[in-house]
Amino acid sequence: MVEKAIPIIYVASDSAGDTGEAVVHAAAVQFYPHLVDVHITSFLEDHEGIDKLIQMAKAQDGIIVFTLVIPELRDYLIQQAILHQLVHIDLLGPILSGLEQKMQQPSRHQPGMIHLLDEGYFKKVEAVEFAVKYDDGRDYNGVLQADIVLVGVSRTSKTPLSMYLAHKKFKVANVPLVPEIQPPEQLFTVSNKKIIGLRIDPDKLNMIRTERLKMLGLPRTATYANVERINVELEYADRIMKRIGCTVIDVSNKAVEETAGLIMEWYRNR
């Protein structure tokens, strides 16, 4: 049986290319476990750059996905892609045209505006710094200042969730729940409406912790991944969450993005 060649996708942008790359990966995951090879061509600014891109894509029978906001460059890329019979996908053009028509005004046609150093950007930076400072219960004062507080046992994605939500401009503190360590009083003095408990299936947690031990070069028999120990931790965490009276989300089979989406929806609807 002949193996399928891995498709090559060239993401072209007159800025950094982050938007196109994110969209391509979001689409490509729908074909898992089949893979795609993504190449980023960023900061395109002239015909010469587009000609080189066309040559590479033609040589590899690749697909060109582009987010060009400068009309002259966009039109030239489309013209050349059609001429060389290349599959090409314009991500921003139809959206910009629709908005221009609806708003009855032309767009700025200015690359890189998504990265402007505006108030939102600085809020994001502040939120990321907050998440780092108050990660894993380093300073319990973060519980008082946070927009969202995450609690749960080790390996329930508290840190990845904190960082993901920080990039959405939420100040997040997270506190590990460990039977041998008294939970901070701050958890019981702040409003439980800003606390989220993270619950996980014991078998799933055992698998995650076993993999973690393997990565660290430690034996699978370590207490960290012991089934009895895991059950003790989870029962303890459940008791603390009930005492707090907080909302609880089961993260057993959820990606970080999915759990974060639920948390943001919960935050908006509080």
Side-chain angles (χ1 to χ4, degrees):
M1 183 177 178
V2 179
E3 286 190 14
K4 288 184 180 179
I6 297 176
I8 297 177
I9 300 178
Y10 293 89
V11 176
S13 173
D14 39 23
S15 183
D18 297 343
T19 301
E21 183 181 15
V23 172
V24 167
H25 283 301
V29 77
Q30 297 299 322
F31 297 90
Y32 181 84
H34 300 288
L35 303 175
V36 297
D37 188 3
V38 181
H39 295 228
I40 312 297
T41 302
S42 54
F43 302 106
L44 279 173
E45 56 184 22
D46 52 32
H47 288 196
E48 184 181 355
I50 290 176
D51 289 340
K52 288 180 180 178
L53 170 66
I54 293 291
Q55 291 168 15
M56 288 189 296
K58 188 172 182 180
Q60 299 293 336
D61 191 25
I63 297 171
I64 299 177
V65 175
F66 55 99
T67 56
L68 299 174
V69 298
I70 300 174
E72 193 271 333
L73 287 181
R74 186 168 68 234
D75 293 344
Y76 182 73
L77 192 154
I78 293 171
Q79 175 193 350
Q80 293 301 307
I82 292 172
L83 180 65
H84 292 279
Q85 298 182 319
L86 290 169
V87 176
H88 56 286
I89 302 165
D90 182 1
L91 293 180
L92 288 184
I95 299 173
L96 288 172
S97 296
L99 286 171
E100 286 176 337
Q101 182 178 355
K102 187 68 176 177
M103 302 175 76
Q104 297 185 342
Q105 70 177 66
S107 74
R108 292 176 179 267
H109 305 307
Q110 182 179 337
M113 290 192 71
I114 196 170
H115 300 293
L116 285 177
L117 303 183
D118 57 8
E119 182 183 353
Y121 174 84
F122 289 109
K123 282 188 68 176
K124 183 190 295 186
V125 170
E126 185 181 0
V128 170
E129 290 175 345
F130 186 95
V132 171
K133 182 176 181 179
Y134 297 110
D135 180 44
D136 209 28
R138 291 178 184 172
D139 184 343
Y140 293 140
N141 288 323
V143 172
L144 304 175
Q145 304 168 43
D147 299 318
I148 299 169
V149 180
L150 304 176
V151 298
V153 301
S154 174
R155 312 313 294 178
T156 48
S157 298
K158 295 186 299 299
T159 296
L161 278 168
S162 296
M163 296 307 299
Y164 186 97
L165 291 166
H167 279 85
K168 301 296 183 181
K169 307 183 187 71
F170 293 97
K171 290 183 179 179
V172 185
N174 72 78
V175 178
L177 298 179
V178 183
E180 292 77 17
I181 301 175
Q182 185 72 16
E185 279 302 314
Q186 289 90 332
L187 285 180
F188 308 103
T189 57
V190 299
S191 170
N192 60 7
K193 288 186 167 67
K194 74 173 185 177
I195 301 176
I196 287 282
L198 304 176
R199 180 179 287 141
I200 189 169
D201 177 78
D203 292 332
K204 181 74 173 181
L205 184 56
N206 174 255
M207 182 179 71
I208 293 170
R209 288 189 176 183
T210 299
E211 284 299 313
R212 178 64 174 165
L213 289 173
K214 189 189 301 182
M215 287 176 58
L216 295 173
L218 298 172
R220 297 180 58 177
T221 53
T223 304
Y224 184 65
N226 179 275
V227 175
E228 288 77 13
R229 169 64 187 186
I230 284 173
N231 284 323
V232 168
E233 288 187 37
L234 292 176
E235 288 170 8
Y236 171 77
D238 277 344
R239 289 198 302 272
I240 296 299
M241 292 173 198
K242 286 177 183 175
R243 181 179 163 193
I244 294 170
C246 61
T247 297
V248 177
I249 295 177
D250 191 322
V251 300
S252 301
N253 296 301
K254 292 182 177 65
V256 168
E257 296 84 353
E258 184 181 358
T259 304
L262 292 173
I263 292 172
M264 288 186 286
E265 183 180 0
W266 159 85
Y267 187 88
R268 287 191 294 266
N269 296 331
R270 287 189 311 173

